[in-house]
């Protein structure tokens, strides 16, 4: 069964062809270079870029997969959460394709789809499991009981983990997106002495808060500018390391706590921040110590892609799920 996945929730226009969980192609056009100057995503630029790119991305995905459009049997598209204008471009495109090809349409949840990046190319998943989605817009702990049954165990009260990486990079003028830059800087630190506070929101909470650590970095930079002393510019690597350690520690401890609370023996991780090497290493060590099996998305499928959208759509289709042709964008789509 050939499924076309379409993802336009943020700044990536992505289309993939997936055949029964096997990724045949994944084409992506990113508008990130246009947002860099602003240190974050400008929604109007993102949606206009989707309009400009989407037909070319479709052609590339079909060519790369060696597939003709007429052979597509299912269209799966991100319905939310995401930027309204951006989502609408993908949804309108998906509807037009599904109608013209007379094939079914499925609108899927982007956050859950991040977990499906673990299930592609022959990897079979056993339910239930705990999912950790750490991206630019979300930090969520999810209990997955079946393909169509998920509950939220915890989520962020303020900034998402990726958003915190981006904002901290912006405070130090390091560029955008901040995650990969901070990881590279942090890796240069051999012995770490600097430490920022961790926010656990109480001993039993599975929720997150990352705005406090971001503010700690802001104050550190501000105070080391004002007072002279050690210039913060000479400590960028240390600041990156201390920030990354604090974020990773909280993510790892809460993910383990969620598994223990639900008695789950598997942890699935996805989203852009899960490309972070320190997080991957820490999760591997902690899950091993706890006897939990860990599933990390392949690095190229951590950030937004359409293979995970196609994969999740296929799984829902097999459960009998279909979307009507009047679906629209749900920017704040819940689980
Ligand atoms: P997504 O929203 O899933 O597309 O992921 C994008 C987010 O992931 C951005 O906030 C990035 O800063 C973050 N990100 C990407 N790579 C890394 C990394 N290596 N370490 C930490 N965060 C990352
Ligand atoms: Mg995402």
């Amino acid at each position: 069964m050939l499924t076309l996945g379409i993802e336009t929730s943020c700044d990536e226009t992505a289309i993939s062809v997936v055949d029964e969980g096997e990724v045949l192609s994944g084409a992506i056009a990113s508008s990130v270079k246009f947002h860099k100057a602003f240190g974050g995503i400008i929604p109007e630029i993102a949606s206009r870029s989707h309009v400009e790119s989407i037909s070319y991305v479709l052609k590339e995905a079909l060519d790369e997969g060696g597939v003709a459009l007429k052979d597509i049997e299912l269209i799966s598209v991100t319905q939310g959460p995401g930027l309204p204008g951006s989502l609408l471009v993908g949804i309108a495109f998906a509807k037009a394709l599904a109608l013209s090809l007379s094939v079914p349409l499925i609108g899927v949840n982007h956050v859950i789809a991040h977990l499906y990046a673990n299930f592609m190319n022959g990897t079979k998943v056993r339910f239930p499991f705990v999912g950790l989605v750490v991206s630019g817009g979300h930090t969520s702990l999810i209990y997955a009981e079946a393909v169509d049954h998920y509950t939220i165990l915890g989520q962020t009260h303020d900034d998402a983990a990726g958003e915190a990486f981006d904002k901290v990079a912006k405070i130090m003028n390091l560029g955008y997106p901040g995650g990969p830059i901070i990881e590279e800087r942090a890796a240069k630190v051999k012995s770490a002495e600097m430490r920022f506070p961790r926010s656990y929101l109480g001993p039993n909470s599975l929720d997150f808060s990352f705005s406090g650590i971001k503010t700690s970095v802001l104050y550190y930079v501000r105070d080391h500018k004002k007072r002279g002393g050690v210039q913060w510019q000479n400590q960028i690597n240390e600041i990156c390391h201390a920030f990354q350690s604090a974020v990773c520690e909280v993510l790892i401890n809460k993910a383990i706590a969620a598994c223990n609370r639900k008695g789950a023996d598997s942890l699935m991780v996805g989203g852009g921040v899960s490309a972070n090497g320190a997080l991957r290493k820490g999760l591997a060590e902690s899950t091993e110590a706890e006897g939990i099996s860990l599933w990390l998305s392949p690095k190229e499928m951590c950030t937004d892609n359409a293979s995970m959208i196609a994969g999740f759509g296929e799984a829902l289709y097999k459960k009998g799920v279909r979307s009507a042709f009047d679906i629209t964008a749900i920017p704040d789509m819940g689980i």
Side-chain angles (χ1 to χ4, degrees):
M1 175 173 174
L2 289 178
T3 302
L4 192 78
I6 301 175
E7 153 62 36
T8 63
S9 66
C10 192
D11 59 336
E12 260 100 34
T13 317
I15 299 187
S16 287
V17 181
V18 166
D19 181 10
E20 300 284 334
E22 293 292 319
V23 179
L24 301 187
S25 68
I28 300 186
S30 175
S31 59
V32 69
K33 57 182 176 294
F34 303 119
H35 306 287
K36 274 185 195 289
F38 305 97
I41 304 290
I42 307 298
E44 185 62 23
I45 295 178
S47 44
R48 282 171 190 238
S49 299
H50 290 308
V51 173
E52 283 168 14
S53 313
I54 199 160
S55 304
Y56 300 102
V57 175
L58 172 66
K59 183 171 181 334
E60 193 182 323
L62 293 172
D63 289 352
E64 191 190 310
V67 171
L69 189 56
K70 66 173 176 43
D71 297 330
I72 297 295
E73 296 166 271
L74 173 69
I75 309 276
S76 177
V77 63
T78 302
Q79 194 175 359
L83 302 170
S86 291
L87 289 166
L88 282 171
V89 176
I91 293 170
F93 196 74
K95 283 183 190 175
L97 282 177
L99 270 172
S100 64
L101 296 169
S102 299
V103 299
L105 171 75
I106 296 198
V108 306
N109 184 303
H110 175 96
V111 175
I112 303 289
H114 268 301
L115 297 174
Y116 270 77
N118 289 292
F119 306 169
M120 312 302 294
N121 299 330
T123 311
K124 291 271 173 289
V125 184
R126 285 169 300 134
F127 290 93
F129 62 83
V130 167
L132 171 67
V133 178
V134 270
S135 69
H138 296 88
T139 308
S140 307
L141 277 166
I142 295 160
Y143 188 53
E145 288 174 86
V147 173
D148 54 355
H149 192 186
Y150 305 89
T151 40
I152 287 280
L153 300 173
Q155 54 195 337
T156 182
H157 285 197
D158 38 60
D159 292 339
E163 191 179 358
F165 270 92
D166 296 336
K167 287 180 175 170
V168 162
K170 192 172 181 181
I171 290 168
M172 294 186 280
N173 300 317
L174 297 181
Y176 176 86
I181 304 168
I182 289 181
E183 178 175 7
E184 200 187 318
R185 292 291 203 137
K188 297 192 169 123
V189 175
K190 294 288 166 265
S191 72
E193 275 161 31
M194 196 185 292
R195 187 184 159 90
F196 290 118
R198 280 85 167 125
S199 169
Y200 278 92
L201 300 170
N204 297 318
S205 173
L206 293 177
D207 285 337
F208 300 91
S209 169
F210 294 111
S211 65
I213 174 137
K214 176 197 66 190
T215 310
S216 300
V217 175
L218 181 71
Y219 287 172
Y220 190 91
V221 166
R222 184 194 67 184
D223 292 349
H224 286 75
K225 215 184 262 175
K226 256 203 222 146
R227 294 186 202 137
V230 188
Q231 290 297 311
W232 68 268
Q233 285 91 341
N234 297 332
Q235 297 182 300
I236 290 176
N237 295 350
E238 283 74 17
I239 296 171
C240 288
H241 186 276
F243 164 77
Q244 180 178 272
S245 303
V247 171
C248 290
E249 183 191 296
V250 174
L251 289 172
I252 294 164
N253 287 341
K254 295 218 177 209
I256 299 286
C259 291
N260 290 339
R261 187 172 304 175
K262 299 306 287 186
D265 60 8
S266 307
L267 174 67
M268 308 273 158
V269 188
V273 181
S274 67
N276 185 281
L279 179 62
R280 294 170 86 90
K281 185 164 175 277
L283 280 168
E285 287 166 1
S286 300
T287 48
E288 197 188 341
E290 297 279 330
I292 296 165
S293 46
L294 174 68
W295 305 73
L296 292 165
S297 300
K299 280 202 175 184
E300 70 282 2
M301 277 213 258
C302 289
T303 43
D304 291 344
N305 65 87
S307 304
M308 65 187 199
I309 304 298
F312 187 27
E314 242 177 17
L316 288 169
Y317 179 81
K318 287 185 181 155
K319 268 263 177 173
V321 177
R322 308 282 184 275
S323 294
F325 276 91
D326 63 354
I327 58 164
T328 189
I330 309 178
D332 61 348
M333 192 175 193
I335 300 292

